[in-house]
Amino acid sequence: MSAPANITPRRALIVIDVQNDYDGGNLAIQHPPFRDSVVNVARAMDAAAAAGIKVVVIKQMAPESSPIFAKSSHGGELHPEIARRGRDHYVEKTLPSAFTGTDLEAWLRANAIDTLTVVGYMTHNCDLSTIIHAVHMGFAVEFLSDATGSVPYANSAGYASGRGDPPRRHDHPAVTFRGRTEDRRMGRVPEDRRLAGTRHDLRLQPAGAGAQRGLGPLRKRKGGRIAAAPFPFGI
């Protein structure tokens, strides 16, 4: 007899590197402004706790001499909005991926987690590294793109920051999983789908997992699959 087609995902919310250096410190998040995205990180944590979804808080560690995230420094500490909220597991890391050199995978397996919902900083660095690592390990991944952000960027596509710069007819140069699948391009997201706070993002999962987990229609992408997904906690 075949297994049921719709199996409820066992989620964990992964809160990555929400630390003081990103809040106007030596690596200030500006696109979108930190104050806007951290509110959504906090909302996601509250919604996860209310739904009985486990929350994992990740913290980047660096030597005391480092200009950012230095051990025992104010900039390296968790932001107060994160520090004051409950969590089920805490991970300290030294590299972009939250899996490298940590017990994160072992903890997730021990708790039978199969789906990760990722929030935090930065979009293109630690978030992306953790997401790719997770997919390679066989986890499904959801990314809440209004609960993240990046430092300013300038390249051939234009300039992006959160300081009220005049609008430009260029695409957002940061890497984001956002909007319709046909609009997702590595390094380019149309202006009308920048990190604007809608409740629909993209969900990544290992090939072949969609039918078993009931995650909806999928579109194939090299190395995995992508599916449109609503905010997973019902906010």
Side-chain angles (χ1 to χ4, degrees):
M1 186 175 182
S2 60
N6 293 321
I7 298 176
T8 302
R10 288 185 57 86
R11 287 189 176 89
L13 178 68
I14 311 299
V15 182
I16 299 178
D17 300 352
V18 187
Q19 293 165 248
N20 291 325
D21 266 333
Y22 283 136
D23 184 15
N26 290 337
L27 197 62
I29 296 294
Q30 295 184 22
H31 195 75
F34 181 89
R35 65 180 180 274
D36 296 340
S37 57
V38 75
V39 170
N40 290 327
V41 175
R43 289 179 63 223
M45 292 182 72
D46 292 343
I53 292 170
K54 293 187 181 298
V55 175
V56 181
V57 172
I58 313 295
K59 180 180 174 182
Q60 181 70 36
M61 302 294 292
E64 292 183 357
S65 59
S66 174
I68 56 173
F69 309 129
K71 182 179 179 180
S72 302
S73 71
H74 172 73
E77 292 303 314
L78 293 172
H79 189 273
E81 288 297 322
I82 305 314
R84 71 183 181 86
R85 285 174 162 81
R87 60 193 184 226
D88 297 283
H89 193 50
Y90 171 71
V91 173
E92 294 182 350
K93 66 181 179 67
T94 58
L95 291 171
S97 171
F99 288 98
T100 303
T102 75
D103 69 346
L104 180 58
E105 181 187 10
W107 186 88
L108 294 170
R109 304 290 188 199
N111 285 273
I113 302 299
D114 60 20
T115 301
L116 310 185
T117 302
V118 175
V119 299
Y121 307 101
M122 289 190 288
T123 308
H124 66 294
N125 192 9
C126 295
D127 292 353
L128 181 61
S129 296
T130 299
I131 287 168
I132 292 173
H133 205 155
V135 171
H136 289 178
M137 289 178 166
F139 293 100
V141 181
E142 299 160 334
F143 182 57
L144 306 190
S145 62
D146 59 352
T148 184
S150 297
V151 294
Y153 286 90
N155 63 16
S156 60
Y159 177 72
S161 85
R163 294 184 169 179
D165 304 288
R168 297 166 181 257
R169 298 185 61 188
H170 294 301
D171 292 341
H172 187 324
V175 177
T176 313
F177 302 99
R178 180 77 204 178
R180 297 176 300 172
T181 52
E182 56 265 36
D183 288 331
R184 177 179 177 269
R185 306 179 186 88
M186 182 60 71
R188 304 193 72 179
V189 177
E191 284 188 354
D192 62 352
R193 291 184 179 84
R194 292 181 182 179
L195 309 181
T198 78
R199 296 182 183 179
H200 289 76
D201 297 278
L202 296 181
R203 174 180 292 158
L204 297 172
Q205 63 192 77
Q212 289 75 27
R213 291 181 181 152
L215 300 183
L218 304 177
R219 294 173 184 242
K220 286 189 176 181
R221 285 286 189 268
K222 184 178 180 181
R225 292 180 173 184
I226 298 177
F231 196 105
F233 308 143
I235 291 179

